[in-house]
Amino acid sequence: QHWKITALPTMGALSSKSIGCYSNDFELVVRAIKKLETNLEENFGSPRDSECGVREKIEEARVPTTGEPLPASLVLRLYSLAKERNKMIHNVYVNGLSSRREFVEEYDACIKELENLADDGVYDPTKWENILEDLLGCGPWCCDGNDRTETAEKGAKLQTKRR
């Protein structure tokens, strides 16, 4: 039996599709911060409390391998993204990003750094790659290029069921 994978999911709430695809600045900013918060909750131990703000989630986040806080330089960059979100949401005179390109680039760079910090090489049975490996005896890289869609979909569904 062969399954097809056309797009491989990435860790947690992350997506390989850039947030720059959203045409509306408000949607872009809100979705970016929602993805960031979910990433911090799922991969870095930030509180899942809906009363907890994004700055608190950033402060509470811990590197999975060491238990240390996120690097100070990354924390400042994440604060900058949160500040842009707050300006857009709370300031009646702000109706768009001052630089959409810079926001998207900074967001993408922060997400990449978070991915690197979260990729600790420790086996996690809830990660879709490990679920596929457990089920198929190999990860998503073992299938040929034409048979990848269904495997990713099945892996994503199994990951969701295990939560």
Side-chain angles (χ1 to χ4, degrees):
Q1 176 176 359
H2 290 291
W3 295 315
K4 292 187 173 211
I5 298 178
T6 54
L8 298 176
T10 57
M11 68 171 206
L14 300 181
S15 169
S16 60
K17 182 171 77 170
S18 172
I19 58 158
C21 67
Y22 301 108
S23 59
N24 179 298
D25 283 356
F26 283 98
E27 183 177 15
L28 182 147
V29 169
V30 169
R31 287 184 182 265
I33 298 303
K34 280 173 65 173
K35 286 182 180 184
L36 172 64
E37 286 180 307
T38 302
N39 183 13
L40 293 173
E41 292 167 0
E42 291 181 355
N43 299 299
F44 297 91
S46 291
R48 293 180 184 261
D49 183 2
S50 62
E51 301 293 318
C52 180
V54 67
R55 287 182 66 95
E56 187 176 348
K57 291 179 192 243
I58 293 167
E59 291 166 4
E60 295 294 323
R62 296 292 178 262
V63 177
T65 53
T66 65
E68 296 291 321
L70 297 177
S73 60
L74 176 59
V75 168
L76 292 175
R77 292 168 43 223
L78 292 171
Y79 282 166
S80 175
L81 294 173
K83 183 177 178 182
E84 283 296 316
R85 177 250 180 221
N86 288 342
K87 283 194 312 191
M88 296 260 322
I89 300 300
H90 298 294
N91 188 332
V92 70
Y93 301 108
V94 176
N95 294 311
L97 290 165
S98 55
S99 175
R100 180 186 182 85
R101 182 185 54 78
E102 286 179 20
F103 182 88
V104 170
E105 287 175 359
E106 187 64 16
Y107 173 84
D108 287 343
C110 287
I111 291 300
K112 182 67 175 166
E113 189 168 345
L114 287 170
E115 285 176 343
N116 291 336
L117 288 170
D119 186 21
D120 55 15
V122 174
Y123 178 82
D124 178 352
T126 65
K127 286 188 177 177
W128 74 273
E129 298 96 334
N130 296 328
I131 294 168
L132 290 176
E133 191 166 344
D134 291 346
L135 291 172
L136 304 174
C138 63
W141 49 88
C142 70
C143 303
D144 65 36
N146 296 325
D147 297 327
R148 296 183 182 260
T149 300
E150 201 171 328
T151 305
E153 290 169 1
K154 287 182 183 232
K157 285 178 185 173
L158 286 169
Q159 183 178 9
T160 302
K161 285 181 183 177
R162 289 189 178 190
R163 288 191 179 166

